[in-house]
């Protein structure tokens, strides 16, 4: 995780960082890493309850808020009914959730509550993203994938694999919850992760 720490120091030192935390292993490890590297006063946990998984979704958000309180860092959470928004817009739940996330991040940045957003995207996510762009007919620009930093978003884990993050979780005894929707191959990203990449 040394490379991830260096990315945090490079892009986040002296800034107020909004750490996007869903409660899963990746984002909880990201929160732990920020807690180890930056002062508590500079960390704000950002969480979205998407309304996709009923009580489990609410439970996960409460877990994230509780963990933020234990660490003594600020918490900002919102709830959105992505299934309803999806039906109204005609977009997929996956796309609608991405729009909700983008709007939430923009709002906390624009209100000046944080200076930069950190997400837990990692190397495996990047492979999936490039494949999604390729299958959708992207030009060469879309085949680059995600970078360490772009448009006030920093990704400290972008060079780390899921296996490395899971090893960090075990080593540091990082608590997390499991989102069962990650096993639903009806979502494009999950289909790639579960069926295509293996």
């Amino acid at each position: 995780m040394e490379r991830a720490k260096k990315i945090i120091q490079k892009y986040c030192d002296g800034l107020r960082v909004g750490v996007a935390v869903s409660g899963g292993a990746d984002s909880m490890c990201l929160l732990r890493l920020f807690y180890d590297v930056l002062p508590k006063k500079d960390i704000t946990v950002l969480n979205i309850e998407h309304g996709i998984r009923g009580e489990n979704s609410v439970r996960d958000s409460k877990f994230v808020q509780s963990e933020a309180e234990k660490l003594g860092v600020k918490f900002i959470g919102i709830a959105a009914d992505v299934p309803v928004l999806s039906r109204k817009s005609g977009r997929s739940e996956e796309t609608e959730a991405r729009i909700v996330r983008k709007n939430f991040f923009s709002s906390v940045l624009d209100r000046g509550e944080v200076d930069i957003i950190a997400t837990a995207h990692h190397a495996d996510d990047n492979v999936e993203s490039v494949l999604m762009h390729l299958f959708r007919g992207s030009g060469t620009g879309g085949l680059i994938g995600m970078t360490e930093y772009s448009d006030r978003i920093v990704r400290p884990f972008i060079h780390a694999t899921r296996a490395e993050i899971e090893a960090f979780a075990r080593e540091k005894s990082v608590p997390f919850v499991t989102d069962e929707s990650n096993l639903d191959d009806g979502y494009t990203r999950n289909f790639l992760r579960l069926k295509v990449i293996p």
Side-chain angles (χ1 to χ4, degrees), residues 16-21 31 40-46 73-76 113-114:
R16 294 166 304 152
V17 183
V19 183
V21 183
L31 175 58
K40 286 194 300 188
K41 66 179 179 61
D42 292 338
I43 301 170
T44 297
V45 169
L46 305 177
V73 299
K74 186 177 175 183
F75 174 88
I76 301 174
E113 296 192 71
V114 299

Side-chain angles (χ1 to χ4, degrees), residues 53-101:
R53 296 163 39 247
E55 283 305 309
N56 287 345
S57 184
V58 174
R59 176 207 66 196
D60 292 356
S61 286
K62 287 180 179 176
F63 165 79
V64 172
Q65 183 170 9
S66 173
E67 290 302 311
E69 289 170 359
K70 288 176 188 175
L71 294 175
V73 299
K74 186 177 175 183
F75 174 88
I76 301 174
I78 64 164
D81 195 332
V82 168
V84 168
L85 292 171
S86 172
R87 286 194 294 275
K88 286 181 179 177
S89 70
R91 293 183 286 254
S92 70
E93 287 186 0
E94 208 170 3
T95 298
E96 205 63 54
R98 190 164 51 249
I99 292 169
V100 167
R101 210 163 32 244

